Amino acid sequence: MLYKEEAILIRSMDYGEGHKIITLYTLRFGKVSVMARGAKKLKSRHTGAVQLFTHAEYTYYKSGKMGTLNHADIIHSNEALRTDLSKTAYASYICEMVYRLVSDDDQGSSFLFHQLAASFQQMAEEKDLQIIAHIFELKMLKYAGYEPVLTRCAVCGKESGLSFIAVHAGGAACAHCAAGSDASSFIPIDEKTRKLLQLLQTVDLRRLGNINVSPQTKQKLAVIMRGFMEDYADVQYWKSRKFLDQMEKYFLQN
């Protein structure tokens, strides 16, 4: 059967001497794997359409688990994300989130699709890459059923005195609960940072304005979100996360 679907390319891998297998996140059907025959050849008509981050209308034939690419009309090439190392690293991380946290059986999510497209647009417009990634992490945690609880204590339900994040409990925690447990499993957090997390959790990437966050707060956010992503998504084993870590370590040293 022939399909014509709006999609964003989230994964691309070489297959054989001249082909590529691409994974698309489609608006209607979620993840779809497609064989792009001859796409590695210099004069292939599919060259532009099989680049990571490409947003296009893909026409493909599918009768089993994998489709075959026939044609693609590019909507946004997102080339700016492939020519800047930092943007490539963060955009790759976002793509891997979708690839790993969306089940092969899930139907397309219009909201998730448009958040993915918007994250790339915001990156291209020079918005803060780390903040965009944290917003998308929070979207994906919610999609996967692990949305952090930030308006009350995730341990006892208390709505005041939320001065810690307890990753193992799934959200904010009050001082009383932190005092009665292993202190090392609770991350201290001020009210301003907790409310910023709440904002990032609810913001729509399509309407993201300029968010100026201090380096100290960004460092705290990174620790908190790394904790959630490691506990609930095993992010420490992802290639894109390891590459981000190496890149950030390099920039700190230089």
Side-chain angles (χ1 to χ4, degrees), residues 88-129:
T88 299
Y90 276 99
S92 296
Y93 176 53
I94 285 175
C95 283
E96 190 161 6
M97 272 191 259
V98 177
Y99 180 78
R100 290 185 177 271
L101 297 180
V102 173
S103 169
D104 292 340
D105 299 326
D106 287 359
Q107 291 295 303
S109 162
S110 175
F111 179 76
L112 181 55
F113 181 91
H114 290 299
Q115 293 300 294
L116 176 59
S119 71
F120 291 166
Q121 181 181 345
Q122 299 291 359
M123 287 182 178
E125 293 177 2
E126 308 300 329
K127 300 288 177 64
D128 191 302
L129 299 175

mmCIF file of all heavy atoms in Angstrom, residues 88-129:
data_model
loop_
_atom_site.group_PDB
_atom_site.id
_atom_site.type_symbol
_atom_site.label_atom_id
_atom_site.label_comp_id
_atom_site.label_asym_id
_atom_site.label_seq_id
_atom_site.Cartn_x
_atom_site.Cartn_y
_atom_site.Cartn_z
ATOM 1 N N THR A 88 23.664 19.892 16.597
ATOM 2 C CA THR A 88 23.594 18.493 16.175
ATOM 3 C C THR A 88 23.493 17.567 17.378
ATOM 4 O O THR A 88 22.693 16.624 17.387
ATOM 5 C CB THR A 88 24.839 18.118 15.353
ATOM 6 O OG1 THR A 88 24.898 18.935 14.181
ATOM 7 C CG2 THR A 88 24.804 16.657 14.930
ATOM 8 N N ALA A 89 24.288 17.841 18.406
ATOM 9 C CA ALA A 89 24.305 16.990 19.596
ATOM 10 C C ALA A 89 22.960 17.009 20.313
ATOM 11 O O ALA A 89 22.412 15.958 20.662
ATOM 12 C CB ALA A 89 25.415 17.446 20.537
ATOM 13 N N TYR A 90 22.406 18.198 20.522
ATOM 14 C CA TYR A 90 21.132 18.299 21.246
ATOM 15 C C TYR A 90 19.965 17.774 20.404
ATOM 16 O O TYR A 90 19.068 17.102 20.926
ATOM 17 C CB TYR A 90 20.887 19.743 21.667
ATOM 18 C CG TYR A 90 21.580 20.104 22.956
ATOM 19 C CD1 TYR A 90 22.794 20.780 22.947
ATOM 20 C CD2 TYR A 90 21.032 19.768 24.190
ATOM 21 C CE1 TYR A 90 23.446 21.109 24.134
ATOM 22 C CE2 TYR A 90 21.669 20.083 25.380
ATOM 23 C CZ TYR A 90 22.882 20.759 25.352
ATOM 24 O OH TYR A 90 23.511 21.069 26.521
ATOM 25 N N ALA A 91 19.975 18.073 19.102
ATOM 26 C CA ALA A 91 18.901 17.580 18.240
ATOM 27 C C ALA A 91 18.940 16.058 18.139
ATOM 28 O O ALA A 91 17.894 15.396 18.107
ATOM 29 C CB ALA A 91 19.002 18.206 16.848
ATOM 30 N N SER A 92 20.137 15.487 18.114
ATOM 31 C CA SER A 92 20.274 14.025 18.082
ATOM 32 C C SER A 92 19.733 13.401 19.360
ATOM 33 O O SER A 92 19.092 12.343 19.331
ATOM 34 C CB SER A 92 21.743 13.635 17.903
ATOM 35 O OG SER A 92 22.239 14.086 16.657
ATOM 36 N N TYR A 93 19.979 14.052 20.473
ATOM 37 C CA TYR A 93 19.471 13.577 21.761
ATOM 38 C C TYR A 93 17.945 13.586 21.770
ATOM 39 O O TYR A 93 17.301 12.627 22.217
ATOM 40 C CB TYR A 93 20.031 14.456 22.868
ATOM 41 C CG TYR A 93 19.519 14.143 24.256
ATOM 42 C CD1 TYR A 93 19.593 12.853 24.778
ATOM 43 C CD2 TYR A 93 18.985 15.142 25.062
ATOM 44 C CE1 TYR A 93 19.135 12.567 26.062
ATOM 45 C CE2 TYR A 93 18.531 14.874 26.339
ATOM 46 C CZ TYR A 93 18.604 13.589 26.833
ATOM 47 O OH TYR A 93 18.140 13.311 28.104
ATOM 48 N N ILE A 94 17.363 14.642 21.252
ATOM 49 C CA ILE A 94 15.896 14.725 21.180
ATOM 50 C C ILE A 94 15.343 13.627 20.270
ATOM 51 O O ILE A 94 14.342 12.981 20.601
ATOM 52 C CB ILE A 94 15.480 16.130 20.710
ATOM 53 C CG1 ILE A 94 15.659 17.126 21.874
ATOM 54 C CG2 ILE A 94 14.040 16.148 20.202
ATOM 55 C CD1 ILE A 94 15.401 18.569 21.508
ATOM 56 N N CYS A 95 16.002 13.396 19.147
ATOM 57 C CA CYS A 95 15.559 12.329 18.247
ATOM 58 C C CYS A 95 15.641 10.964 18.921
ATOM 59 O O CYS A 95 14.745 10.126 18.768
ATOM 60 C CB CYS A 95 16.408 12.323 16.973
ATOM 61 S SG CYS A 95 15.994 13.611 15.795
ATOM 62 N N GLU A 96 16.709 10.737 19.683
ATOM 63 C CA GLU A 96 16.843 9.437 20.350
ATOM 64 C C GLU A 96 15.789 9.262 21.432
ATOM 65 O O GLU A 96 15.329 8.148 21.683
ATOM 66 C CB GLU A 96 18.249 9.256 20.916
ATOM 67 C CG GLU A 96 18.486 7.831 21.383
ATOM 68 C CD GLU A 96 19.943 7.446 21.543
ATOM 69 O OE1 GLU A 96 20.830 8.318 21.410
ATOM 70 O OE2 GLU A 96 20.209 6.254 21.801
ATOM 71 N N MET A 97 15.397 10.368 22.072
ATOM 72 C CA MET A 97 14.294 10.286 23.038
ATOM 73 C C MET A 97 13.045 9.730 22.371
ATOM 74 O O MET A 97 12.367 8.848 22.901
ATOM 75 C CB MET A 97 13.990 11.670 23.622
ATOM 76 C CG MET A 97 14.790 12.040 24.836
ATOM 77 S SD MET A 97 14.119 13.534 25.623
ATOM 78 C CE MET A 97 15.254 14.754 25.018
ATOM 79 N N VAL A 98 12.715 10.287 21.206
ATOM 80 C CA VAL A 98 11.517 9.829 20.498
ATOM 81 C C VAL A 98 11.683 8.383 20.065
ATOM 82 O O VAL A 98 10.782 7.555 20.241
ATOM 83 C CB VAL A 98 11.230 10.736 19.276
ATOM 84 C CG1 VAL A 98 10.030 10.211 18.487
ATOM 85 C CG2 VAL A 98 10.968 12.174 19.728
ATOM 86 N N TYR A 99 12.856 8.065 19.526
ATOM 87 C CA TYR A 99 13.087 6.710 19.028
ATOM 88 C C TYR A 99 12.961 5.672 20.135
ATOM 89 O O TYR A 99 12.373 4.604 19.940
ATOM 90 C CB TYR A 99 14.477 6.625 18.387
ATOM 91 C CG TYR A 99 14.790 5.253 17.836
ATOM 92 C CD1 TYR A 99 14.251 4.847 16.619
ATOM 93 C CD2 TYR A 99 15.604 4.369 18.538
ATOM 94 C CE1 TYR A 99 14.518 3.578 16.117
ATOM 95 C CE2 TYR A 99 15.870 3.109 18.043
ATOM 96 C CZ TYR A 99 15.322 2.716 16.830
ATOM 97 O OH TYR A 99 15.576 1.459 16.342
ATOM 98 N N ARG A 100 13.479 5.978 21.329
ATOM 99 C CA ARG A 100 13.523 4.992 22.401
ATOM 100 C C ARG A 100 12.266 4.980 23.276
ATOM 101 O O ARG A 100 11.890 3.927 23.796
ATOM 102 C CB ARG A 100 14.754 5.235 23.278
ATOM 103 C CG ARG A 100 16.064 4.891 22.584
ATOM 104 C CD ARG A 100 17.229 5.033 23.537
ATOM 105 N NE ARG A 100 18.496 4.653 22.926
ATOM 106 C CZ ARG A 100 19.004 3.412 22.919
ATOM 107 N NH1 ARG A 100 18.323 2.437 23.482
ATOM 108 N NH2 ARG A 100 20.170 3.161 22.348
ATOM 109 N N LEU A 101 11.636 6.112 23.455
ATOM 110 C CA LEU A 101 10.517 6.191 24.387
ATOM 111 C C LEU A 101 9.155 6.041 23.735
ATOM 112 O O LEU A 101 8.149 5.881 24.426
ATOM 113 C CB LEU A 101 10.583 7.504 25.180
ATOM 114 C CG LEU A 101 11.822 7.659 26.073
ATOM 115 C CD1 LEU A 101 11.799 8.998 26.806
ATOM 116 C CD2 LEU A 101 11.923 6.520 27.080
ATOM 117 N N VAL A 102 9.105 6.105 22.418
ATOM 118 C CA VAL A 102 7.848 5.850 21.699
ATOM 119 C C VAL A 102 7.836 4.394 21.255
ATOM 120 O O VAL A 102 8.745 3.944 20.561
ATOM 121 C CB VAL A 102 7.697 6.782 20.482
ATOM 122 C CG1 VAL A 102 6.478 6.401 19.659
ATOM 123 C CG2 VAL A 102 7.591 8.239 20.933
ATOM 124 N N SER A 103 6.832 3.662 21.660
ATOM 125 C CA SER A 103 6.721 2.253 21.290
ATOM 126 C C SER A 103 6.456 2.106 19.795
ATOM 127 O O SER A 103 5.820 2.973 19.167
ATOM 128 C CB SER A 103 5.591 1.601 22.092
ATOM 129 O OG SER A 103 5.294 0.315 21.591
ATOM 130 N N ASP A 104 6.931 1.006 19.230
ATOM 131 C CA ASP A 104 6.684 0.729 17.812
ATOM 132 C C ASP A 104 5.192 0.585 17.524
ATOM 133 O O ASP A 104 4.757 0.773 16.387
ATOM 134 C CB ASP A 104 7.396 -0.553 17.387
ATOM 135 C CG ASP A 104 8.911 -0.410 17.400
ATOM 136 O OD1 ASP A 104 9.394 0.740 17.367
ATOM 137 O OD2 ASP A 104 9.601 -1.442 17.450
ATOM 138 N N ASP A 105 4.417 0.252 18.532
ATOM 139 C CA ASP A 105 2.979 0.041 18.342
ATOM 140 C C ASP A 105 2.155 1.308 18.537
ATOM 141 O O ASP A 105 0.952 1.308 18.271
ATOM 142 C CB ASP A 105 2.464 -1.027 19.320
ATOM 143 C CG ASP A 105 3.149 -2.379 19.111
ATOM 144 O OD1 ASP A 105 3.466 -2.689 17.940
ATOM 145 O OD2 ASP A 105 3.375 -3.095 20.094
ATOM 146 N N ASP A 106 2.797 2.389 19.020
ATOM 147 C CA ASP A 106 2.054 3.627 19.273
ATOM 148 C C ASP A 106 1.639 4.300 17.970
ATOM 149 O O ASP A 106 2.421 4.369 17.018
ATOM 150 C CB ASP A 106 2.900 4.608 20.082
ATOM 151 C CG ASP A 106 3.058 4.193 21.530
ATOM 152 O OD1 ASP A 106 2.490 3.140 21.905
ATOM 153 O OD2 ASP A 106 3.748 4.896 22.272
ATOM 154 N N GLN A 107 0.416 4.805 17.938
ATOM 155 C CA GLN A 107 -0.029 5.626 16.824
ATOM 156 C C GLN A 107 0.601 7.011 16.957
ATOM 157 O O GLN A 107 1.148 7.374 17.994
ATOM 158 C CB GLN A 107 -1.553 5.733 16.811
ATOM 159 C CG GLN A 107 -2.259 4.431 16.459
ATOM 160 C CD GLN A 107 -1.958 3.979 15.036
ATOM 161 O OE1 GLN A 107 -2.188 4.707 14.079
ATOM 162 N NE2 GLN A 107 -1.441 2.769 14.907
ATOM 163 N N GLY A 108 0.521 7.784 15.910
ATOM 164 C CA GLY A 108 1.102 9.116 15.930
ATOM 165 C C GLY A 108 0.427 10.018 16.948
ATOM 166 O O GLY A 108 -0.769 9.910 17.197
ATOM 167 N N SER A 109 1.202 10.901 17.543
ATOM 168 C CA SER A 109 0.691 11.903 18.470
ATOM 169 C C SER A 109 0.899 13.261 17.823
ATOM 170 O O SER A 109 2.044 13.685 17.600
ATOM 171 C CB SER A 109 1.430 11.837 19.811
ATOM 172 O OG SER A 109 1.243 13.013 20.554
ATOM 173 N N SER A 110 -0.192 13.958 17.523
ATOM 174 C CA SER A 110 -0.083 15.277 16.907
ATOM 175 C C SER A 110 0.707 16.228 17.795
ATOM 176 O O SER A 110 1.561 16.986 17.320
ATOM 177 C CB SER A 110 -1.486 15.837 16.635
ATOM 178 O OG SER A 110 -1.410 17.154 16.140
ATOM 179 N N PHE A 111 0.438 16.181 19.107
ATOM 180 C CA PHE A 111 1.139 17.070 20.029
ATOM 181 C C PHE A 111 2.629 16.786 20.025
ATOM 182 O O PHE A 111 3.455 17.706 19.899
ATOM 183 C CB PHE A 111 0.583 16.917 21.444
ATOM 184 C CG PHE A 111 1.271 17.795 22.457
ATOM 185 C CD1 PHE A 111 1.004 19.151 22.518
ATOM 186 C CD2 PHE A 111 2.207 17.258 23.328
ATOM 187 C CE1 PHE A 111 1.655 19.971 23.436
ATOM 188 C CE2 PHE A 111 2.860 18.070 24.252
ATOM 189 C CZ PHE A 111 2.578 19.426 24.311
ATOM 190 N N LEU A 112 3.008 15.517 20.139
ATOM 191 C CA LEU A 112 4.420 15.158 20.172
ATOM 192 C C LEU A 112 5.105 15.526 18.857
ATOM 193 O O LEU A 112 6.225 16.049 18.846
ATOM 194 C CB LEU A 112 4.579 13.660 20.456
ATOM 195 C CG LEU A 112 6.009 13.123 20.543
ATOM 196 C CD1 LEU A 112 6.812 13.889 21.574
ATOM 197 C CD2 LEU A 112 5.989 11.630 20.868
ATOM 198 N N PHE A 113 4.431 15.281 17.744
ATOM 199 C CA PHE A 113 4.991 15.613 16.435
ATOM 200 C C PHE A 113 5.301 17.107 16.348
ATOM 201 O O PHE A 113 6.388 17.511 15.930
ATOM 202 C CB PHE A 113 4.020 15.208 15.326
ATOM 203 C CG PHE A 113 4.535 15.488 13.942
ATOM 204 C CD1 PHE A 113 5.254 14.531 13.255
ATOM 205 C CD2 PHE A 113 4.313 16.711 13.326
ATOM 206 C CE1 PHE A 113 5.749 14.777 11.971
ATOM 207 C CE2 PHE A 113 4.799 16.985 12.059
ATOM 208 C CZ PHE A 113 5.516 16.009 11.382
ATOM 209 N N HIS A 114 4.349 17.932 16.744
ATOM 210 C CA HIS A 114 4.537 19.377 16.630
ATOM 211 C C HIS A 114 5.542 19.904 17.651
ATOM 212 O O HIS A 114 6.238 20.892 17.381
ATOM 213 C CB HIS A 114 3.192 20.088 16.745
ATOM 214 C CG HIS A 114 2.298 19.857 15.562
ATOM 215 N ND1 HIS A 114 2.654 20.232 14.278
ATOM 216 C CD2 HIS A 114 1.071 19.276 15.454
ATOM 217 C CE1 HIS A 114 1.685 19.900 13.426
ATOM 218 N NE2 HIS A 114 0.720 19.317 14.121
ATOM 219 N N GLN A 115 5.650 19.253 18.815
ATOM 220 C CA GLN A 115 6.681 19.634 19.779
ATOM 221 C C GLN A 115 8.073 19.299 19.234
ATOM 222 O O GLN A 115 9.025 20.059 19.415
ATOM 223 C CB GLN A 115 6.451 18.941 21.122
ATOM 224 C CG GLN A 115 5.201 19.387 21.862
ATOM 225 C CD GLN A 115 5.207 20.866 22.174
ATOM 226 O OE1 GLN A 115 6.025 21.349 22.951
ATOM 227 N NE2 GLN A 115 4.287 21.613 21.568
ATOM 228 N N LEU A 116 8.190 18.171 18.563
ATOM 229 C CA LEU A 116 9.461 17.784 17.948
ATOM 230 C C LEU A 116 9.854 18.779 16.870
ATOM 231 O O LEU A 116 10.992 19.268 16.839
ATOM 232 C CB LEU A 116 9.333 16.376 17.355
ATOM 233 C CG LEU A 116 10.541 15.824 16.589
ATOM 234 C CD1 LEU A 116 11.773 15.759 17.469
ATOM 235 C CD2 LEU A 116 10.218 14.433 16.021
ATOM 236 N N ALA A 117 8.912 19.111 15.997
ATOM 237 C CA ALA A 117 9.191 20.088 14.940
ATOM 238 C C ALA A 117 9.547 21.447 15.531
ATOM 239 O O ALA A 117 10.481 22.121 15.065
ATOM 240 C CB ALA A 117 7.979 20.211 14.011
ATOM 241 N N ALA A 118 8.832 21.842 16.573
ATOM 242 C CA ALA A 118 9.079 23.143 17.195
ATOM 243 C C ALA A 118 10.430 23.186 17.897
ATOM 244 O O ALA A 118 11.095 24.234 17.911
ATOM 245 C CB ALA A 118 7.959 23.459 18.183
ATOM 246 N N SER A 119 10.840 22.063 18.486
ATOM 247 C CA SER A 119 12.150 22.053 19.158
ATOM 248 C C SER A 119 13.257 22.341 18.151
ATOM 249 O O SER A 119 14.200 23.086 18.445
ATOM 250 C CB SER A 119 12.388 20.712 19.848
ATOM 251 O OG SER A 119 12.608 19.662 18.927
ATOM 252 N N PHE A 120 13.149 21.795 16.958
ATOM 253 C CA PHE A 120 14.152 22.051 15.922
ATOM 254 C C PHE A 120 14.108 23.505 15.467
ATOM 255 O O PHE A 120 15.140 24.139 15.242
ATOM 256 C CB PHE A 120 13.925 21.126 14.727
ATOM 257 C CG PHE A 120 14.215 19.670 15.008
ATOM 258 C CD1 PHE A 120 13.796 18.686 14.131
ATOM 259 C CD2 PHE A 120 14.907 19.278 16.140
ATOM 260 C CE1 PHE A 120 14.064 17.344 14.377
ATOM 261 C CE2 PHE A 120 15.181 17.946 16.407
ATOM 262 C CZ PHE A 120 14.763 16.980 15.510
ATOM 263 N N GLN A 121 12.912 24.037 15.325
ATOM 264 C CA GLN A 121 12.768 25.433 14.912
ATOM 265 C C GLN A 121 13.370 26.372 15.954
ATOM 266 O O GLN A 121 14.075 27.327 15.611
ATOM 267 C CB GLN A 121 11.297 25.778 14.706
ATOM 268 C CG GLN A 121 11.070 27.227 14.253
ATOM 269 C CD GLN A 121 9.601 27.551 14.088
ATOM 270 O OE1 GLN A 121 8.757 26.668 14.034
ATOM 271 N NE2 GLN A 121 9.290 28.836 14.006
ATOM 272 N N GLN A 122 13.112 26.089 17.238
ATOM 273 C CA GLN A 122 13.650 26.944 18.294
ATOM 274 C C GLN A 122 15.172 26.860 18.355
ATOM 275 O O GLN A 122 15.855 27.855 18.605
ATOM 276 C CB GLN A 122 13.048 26.546 19.650
ATOM 277 C CG GLN A 122 11.536 26.671 19.751
ATOM 278 C CD GLN A 122 11.063 28.121 19.724
ATOM 279 O OE1 GLN A 122 11.860 29.054 19.649
ATOM 280 N NE2 GLN A 122 9.762 28.313 19.780
ATOM 281 N N MET A 123 15.724 25.680 18.098
ATOM 282 C CA MET A 123 17.173 25.547 18.060
ATOM 283 C C MET A 123 17.764 26.369 16.919
ATOM 284 O O MET A 123 18.786 27.042 17.085
ATOM 285 C CB MET A 123 17.566 24.075 17.882
ATOM 286 C CG MET A 123 17.360 23.224 19.110
ATOM 287 S SD MET A 123 17.897 21.515 18.826
ATOM 288 C CE MET A 123 17.582 20.805 20.442
ATOM 289 N N ALA A 124 17.118 26.315 15.775
ATOM 290 C CA ALA A 124 17.584 27.070 14.614
ATOM 291 C C ALA A 124 17.520 28.571 14.857
ATOM 292 O O ALA A 124 18.300 29.340 14.283
ATOM 293 C CB ALA A 124 16.758 26.697 13.381
ATOM 294 N N GLU A 125 16.593 28.989 15.730
ATOM 295 C CA GLU A 125 16.431 30.413 16.045
ATOM 296 C C GLU A 125 17.299 30.853 17.220
ATOM 297 O O GLU A 125 17.082 31.915 17.801
ATOM 298 C CB GLU A 125 14.959 30.710 16.324
ATOM 299 C CG GLU A 125 14.073 30.559 15.093
ATOM 300 C CD GLU A 125 12.595 30.792 15.384
ATOM 301 O OE1 GLU A 125 12.256 31.107 16.550
ATOM 302 O OE2 GLU A 125 11.792 30.678 14.449
ATOM 303 N N GLU A 126 18.265 30.023 17.578
ATOM 304 C CA GLU A 126 19.277 30.350 18.580
ATOM 305 C C GLU A 126 18.736 30.438 20.010
ATOM 306 O O GLU A 126 19.309 31.117 20.865
ATOM 307 C CB GLU A 126 20.002 31.673 18.228
ATOM 308 C CG GLU A 126 20.560 31.735 16.824
ATOM 309 C CD GLU A 126 21.587 30.631 16.542
ATOM 310 O OE1 GLU A 126 22.280 30.210 17.476
ATOM 311 O OE2 GLU A 126 21.680 30.196 15.383
ATOM 312 N N LYS A 127 17.661 29.727 20.307
ATOM 313 C CA LYS A 127 17.197 29.652 21.690
ATOM 314 C C LYS A 127 18.141 28.723 22.470
ATOM 315 O O LYS A 127 18.917 27.970 21.895
ATOM 316 C CB LYS A 127 15.763 29.112 21.739
ATOM 317 C CG LYS A 127 14.745 29.966 20.981
ATOM 318 C CD LYS A 127 14.449 31.260 21.699
ATOM 319 C CE LYS A 127 13.491 32.135 20.902
ATOM 320 N NZ LYS A 127 12.173 31.542 20.726
ATOM 321 N N ASP A 128 18.047 28.779 23.778
ATOM 322 C CA ASP A 128 18.946 28.023 24.645
ATOM 323 C C ASP A 128 18.764 26.508 24.436
ATOM 324 O O ASP A 128 17.703 25.955 24.704
ATOM 325 C CB ASP A 128 18.666 28.381 26.115
ATOM 326 C CG ASP A 128 19.728 27.854 27.064
ATOM 327 O OD1 ASP A 128 19.940 26.624 27.088
ATOM 328 O OD2 ASP A 128 20.322 28.656 27.791
ATOM 329 N N LEU A 129 19.814 25.841 23.961
ATOM 330 C CA LEU A 129 19.732 24.423 23.604
ATOM 331 C C LEU A 129 19.439 23.549 24.817
ATOM 332 O O LEU A 129 18.649 22.604 24.739
ATOM 333 C CB LEU A 129 21.032 23.971 22.939
ATOM 334 C CG LEU A 129 21.413 24.685 21.645
ATOM 335 C CD1 LEU A 129 22.792 24.209 21.178
ATOM 336 C CD2 LEU A 129 20.382 24.438 20.554
#
